[in-house]
Amino acid sequence: MAKAKNTKKKEEKAGPVTTGASMAFLKDYINNASPVGFETWGQKLWLKYLAPYIDEQFVDPYGTAVGIINPGQPFKVVIEAHADEISWFVNYVTDNGLIFLKRNGGVDHQIAPGLRVNVHGKKGIVKGVFGWPAIHTRIGKESETQPKVENVCIDCGVRSKKEVEDLGIHVGAVVTYQDGFDELANDFYVGRAFDNRIGGFMIAEVARLLKENKKKLPYSLYVVNAVQEEIGLRGAEMIARRIKPDVAIVTDVTHDTGHFMINKRIEGDVACSKGPSLAYGPAIHNKLLAFVEKVAEDQKIPVQWRALSRSTGTDTDSFAYANDGCPSVLISMPLRYMHTTVEMIHKDDIENTIKLMYETLLELTPKTNLSYL
């Protein structure tokens, strides 16, 4: 019997984890807008995809979406990602119809010039561009003509404030970039907001694998897609207090540090295609981290390492320090060009991150010893 069981386990791991249907969902999910504070648009897609693989679901007052597998157990485990993307807010409209903005999250103003945007107004989406005068026409010193929040603006093809208002654009309307999913050479994917909708995709895939492989967990699993991470981990703070989990496994993105403009002595050595990144840091529970590392070793899943300082800068911090403390670990997806419209990830890292979370959940039990002393 033992031999047959091991054979079955090998069969489950054979071939790619993702499917044609799941990749179609990923493309739709990436191409859909989900800006901070307006995550509902993406959460609807995510819950629809997740629904066949869970037993229950709920949405909290600010839009964090949760699917539950095996509900009602005294021991509760969370796998978590965040649903929001960086964006802009309409802040001021000039008399001649140019639109100035405020940041909504850590959006990079230096990449804005020349990019196309969607303004989500009261009458629907209005297309626009971050207009930027030609290099030989810009007035001022070089230091005065570089992109800054105060000098980048949107042109929607109108020439008066009234025409802007007639389009349904108002102060507070959220603005997202138009760029979407694409495939590059050597199994690289590129898109807007892989930070961190790729995490939402991967935790949904874990739920799918558990369902399709008919796995029965000895605890309740909460599959959490949290809101408002980009402006201070706010969604995770709220949902951690509500669920009160015993263990949290958080997935987010981390920097591929191979680009010549990144200092590895500061950011460490992490590269796309070489496996998910594990990290040491105060919020990361050492025994849970060692447990995940052992799973990776046993399952021959490649991992990389980072050291983090006072905080992880991810929802891990919110779960770790919530309630009476929750053993938490961070499993990160290597990514190039974070907070741009061309965030880049590798197919192998998606597969291996999903595998690592899935295998960790199968090994974890309420009796797993996570006590420091």
Side-chain angles (χ1 to χ4, degrees), residues 254-255 257 262-270 305-307:
T254 191
H255 303 285
T257 61
I262 296 178
N263 187 342
K264 289 186 178 182
R265 289 173 290 176
I266 296 173
E267 298 294 343
D269 190 3
V270 174
W305 291 93
R306 287 198 69 191

Side-chain angles (χ1 to χ4, degrees), residues 38-236:
F38 299 82
E39 297 91 347
T40 302
W41 308 328
Q43 297 290 55
K44 289 179 180 178
L45 288 177
W46 186 79
L47 280 172
K48 182 179 179 181
Y49 179 77
L50 185 68
Y53 313 124
I54 57 175
D55 300 312
E56 295 179 3
Q57 68 180 54
F58 71 88
V59 179
D60 84 355
Y62 272 84
T64 290
V66 181
I68 311 172
I69 297 172
N70 194 26
Q73 304 304 308
F75 196 83
K76 293 180 282 189
V77 176
V78 160
I79 55 173
E80 192 261 11
H82 72 83
D84 56 316
E85 67 176 293
I86 55 175
S87 55
W88 298 91
F89 279 127
V90 171
N91 183 50
Y92 170 68
V93 181
T94 67
D95 289 340
N96 62 347
L98 294 177
I99 301 169
F100 286 81
L101 308 157
K102 278 190 175 180
R103 289 189 178 98
N104 187 19
V107 66
D108 186 351
H109 57 275
Q110 293 190 68
I111 70 160
L115 290 180
R116 303 180 186 203
V117 298
N118 289 323
V119 184
H120 301 266
K122 292 181 178 179
K123 297 180 180 180
I125 291 175
V126 179
K127 294 182 178 181
V129 298
F130 270 106
W132 194 241
I135 188 170
H136 52 283
T137 66
R138 294 197 292 270
I139 297 172
K141 300 177 182 177
E142 184 177 351
S143 62
E144 297 170 343
T145 58
Q146 298 305 302
K148 293 176 283 190
V149 173
E150 57 265 34
N151 69 7
V152 293
C153 61
I154 292 173
D155 189 333
C156 290
V158 299
R159 291 297 174 262
S160 74
K161 186 173 184 178
K162 183 180 184 305
E163 288 179 341
V164 171
E165 293 169 349
D166 288 345
L167 290 173
I169 297 173
H170 58 93
V171 170
V174 70
V175 179
T176 58
Y177 295 114
Q178 290 184 22
D179 301 63
F181 182 94
D182 210 343
E183 299 183 42
L184 303 181
N186 301 315
D187 290 328
F188 277 95
Y189 300 142
V190 65
R192 186 194 83 253
F194 278 132
D195 175 13
N196 180 36
R197 286 210 284 283
I198 191 60
F201 170 73
M202 292 189 298
I203 59 175
E205 288 298 274
V206 171
R208 178 180 64 80
L209 290 175
L210 290 169
K211 180 74 171 184
E212 292 181 351
N213 293 330
K214 297 180 171 61
K215 297 298 183 182
K216 178 71 173 176
L217 299 174
Y219 49 79
S220 293
L221 178 65
Y222 290 73
V223 186
V224 177
N225 210 9
V227 299
Q228 298 193 25
E229 187 271 353
E230 294 289 357
I231 49 86
L233 322 180
R234 301 308 187 191

